[in-house]
Amino acid sequence: MEEENNKTPRRAWNLMIGISLVLLGSLRLYNHIRQQGEWNFRSITIIIFIIFGGYLIFRHFLQPPQD
């Protein structure tokens, strides 16, 4: 019973974390590419964080609410 009550706040946090990873990661990637103009390990790491944020957002909307 307690686990069901804890899932709703967790879903909300996952959505907020996903949105922030996508937005901030995109901004950092844009600034990094604009300043240096080349792809390196840092760029790939930022892309991985953006993909993970997109996955969290996708998973949030994929699962129905458990009210």
Side-chain angles (χ1 to χ4, degrees):
M1 190 76 169
E2 248 181 72
E3 288 182 22
E4 291 179 12
N5 293 337
N6 291 335
K7 286 185 181 181
T8 302
R10 176 73 177 187
R11 287 187 74 226
W13 275 105
N14 281 344
L15 179 63
M16 289 187 282
I17 291 170
I19 291 171
S20 64
L21 283 174
V22 170
L23 291 177
L24 295 175
S26 298
L27 179 65
R28 288 194 54 97
L29 182 65
Y30 171 74
N31 287 333
H32 179 73
I33 296 300
R34 190 168 159 226
Q35 288 176 358
Q36 294 188 355
E38 63 183 32
W39 293 87
N40 55 14
F41 183 72
R42 185 175 186 179
S43 303
I44 295 171
T45 304
I46 295 171
I47 289 174
I48 290 171
F49 279 107
I50 293 170
I51 291 171
F52 181 67
Y55 169 72
L56 288 176
I57 294 169
F58 174 74
R59 193 175 68 179
H60 174 80
F61 289 112
L62 186 67
Q63 296 173 350
Q66 307 258 336
D67 296 326

